[in-house]
Amino acid sequence: MNIKELREMTGQTQKEFADSFGIPIGTLRRWEYGESTPASYVIKLIAEKLPMNNKLMKKIESSEGTYYYDEATKTIADIKGTRISVNEGLDGVNEHNLVLYANELFESYYEAIAKFDRDCKMDKQEDILWG
């Protein structure tokens, strides 16, 4: 996915898009006209900040849950809008298994967040020094 495709996904004009990401308008135009190219990490960072457009994402759905995979950013999102970056592409993965993997991924994520919050709360209440 290139920068122009990302901008068009938002429905924004060049000026609106440039302003929303703090990109000089001239730089954005050079990127879109192919006169220069943004670093791949810039495209990825911008893509991760865009609102999700579920119609453009691969839907992973079963009675267990609904998730969306964004191939451009290699992220999986749940219905809460939480996005988790993954390294492995999903092409060729069994659909039934994919839902199970996504369920486990988000369950582990939310458990880790809850543990982090508990630890921080406990640390504020007690003088703990972990080794």
Side-chain angles (χ1 to χ4, degrees):
M1 183 163 290
N2 64 40
I3 199 76
K4 185 174 183 178
E5 291 171 326
L6 288 175
R7 180 183 61 79
E8 289 174 344
M9 281 175 42
T10 69
Q12 293 178 326
T13 65
Q14 286 181 335
K15 179 163 180 19
E16 292 168 337
F17 189 84
D19 289 347
S20 65
F21 289 100
I23 303 167
I25 187 72
T27 299
L28 178 63
R29 287 184 177 141
R30 283 190 295 281
W31 289 346
E32 287 197 8
Y33 300 146
E35 296 169 7
S36 65
T37 306
S40 59
Y41 73 87
V42 171
I43 293 175
K44 184 174 181 184
L45 287 171
I46 290 172
E48 288 175 354
K49 297 298 179 195
L50 291 178
M52 288 191 319
N53 184 343
N54 294 344
K55 292 178 184 173
L56 300 176
M57 301 169 90
K58 174 184 172 93
K59 191 173 189 177
I60 305 165
E61 182 176 40
S62 79
S63 59
E64 307 294 318
T66 301
Y67 305 95
Y68 297 90
Y69 176 65
D70 184 342
E71 188 173 358
T73 61
K74 283 196 167 184
T75 57
I76 299 177
D78 65 4
I79 58 173
K80 296 178 184 178
T82 300
R83 291 187 195 196
I84 299 176
S85 294
V86 295
N87 296 321
E88 189 65 34
L90 304 186
D91 287 341
V93 177
N94 178 289
E95 291 290 324
H96 174 76
N97 293 342
L98 186 54
V99 174
L100 298 175
Y101 303 151
N103 284 337
E104 185 176 337
L105 174 66
F106 281 91
E107 183 178 303
S108 297
Y109 172 81
Y110 287 119
E111 285 176 7
I113 294 296
K115 182 183 181 318
F116 178 85
D117 289 344
R118 278 192 313 272
D119 290 347
C120 288
K121 184 177 181 179
M122 185 183 302
D123 191 84
K124 291 176 189 176
Q125 296 170 350
E126 301 176 22
D127 188 20
I128 299 174
L129 191 56
W130 298 103

